[in-house]
Amino acid sequence: MRFDPKRYPQPNAVTSPRVRWVHDYWAARATLGVPARSSIDPLEMPDVLSCLMLIDVVDDRFRYRLVGTEVAANAKHDFTGMYLDSLNFSNRDFYLHCYRDILESRQPIFGLDHWAYADGRNGIAEFGMMPLTHDGVTVSQILTIEDNSPPAA
């Protein structure tokens, strides 16, 4: 079965409390544009660490520097250190487009993804992808949260 991921037009479309929290955390550090990577402190976000990913921008490619334990467990694979374009999964091109758009726009992207695992399981997650910089100009990393928890009732 194929599911098509979608982008939300605005951050306020997000229903996941975890995605909203990470966005608020990021936005509080984005007062002058894209926040510096050094302004993001993992010790300040213990409740969401397991569903975070940190992606390095390496030339025109995207390498997973960090993949949270919840993300790796859901995927049944820890892809830390791997490049997105070297992975083989159904919605890979969607994520490549999102990350490329973030490089160009310097704005976060939010959305909802559905997928089917090879073992027959289905997954659904709200996500947020937020740019970070090391030099104040160039997007050098992307902070991503993927929340697979069921929506709040």
Side-chain angles (χ1 to χ4, degrees):
M1 178 179 279
R2 173 143 169 75
F3 300 103
D4 290 321
K6 69 175 184 178
R7 291 186 193 189
Y8 293 153
Q10 298 293 326
N12 62 5
V14 173
T15 61
S16 160
R18 297 196 306 185
V19 174
R20 284 179 174 264
W21 188 91
V22 172
H23 175 250
D24 291 346
Y25 180 91
W26 175 89
R29 286 143 186 84
T31 56
L32 298 174
V34 175
R37 167 59 184 94
S38 61
S39 70
I40 306 297
D41 184 358
L43 295 176
E44 294 178 344
M45 50 179 80
D47 294 340
V48 296
L49 273 178
S50 65
C51 53
L52 290 180
M53 292 175 277
L54 188 60
I55 293 89
D56 290 331
V57 179
V58 182
D59 298 320
D60 290 329
R61 298 179 74 196
F62 304 96
R63 182 179 58 215
Y64 290 94
R65 173 179 286 271
L66 168 81
V67 175
T69 55
E70 187 176 326
V71 176
N74 285 328
K76 293 195 175 188
H77 176 65
D78 183 357
F79 40 98
T80 299
M82 300 180 79
Y83 286 88
L84 176 56
D85 60 3
S86 72
L87 298 172
N88 185 18
F89 63 97
S90 61
N91 296 338
R92 181 192 70 186
D93 290 346
F94 172 80
Y95 287 99
L96 282 168
H97 288 296
C98 287
Y99 290 148
R100 287 181 183 134
D101 287 349
I102 288 170
L103 292 183
E104 186 175 312
S105 72
R106 300 170 45 90
Q107 296 296 315
I109 291 175
F110 303 91
L112 182 69
D113 192 7
H114 297 84
W115 61 92
Y117 292 104
D119 64 7
R121 296 176 299 132
N122 290 322
I124 184 170
E126 272 195 311
F127 63 85
M129 304 168 172
M130 290 145 269
L132 299 171
T133 184
H134 284 98
D135 63 8
V137 177
T138 306
V139 173
S140 53
Q141 291 185 312
I142 300 170
L143 176 65
T144 299
I145 178 166
E146 184 177 280
D147 187 2
N148 295 83
S149 45

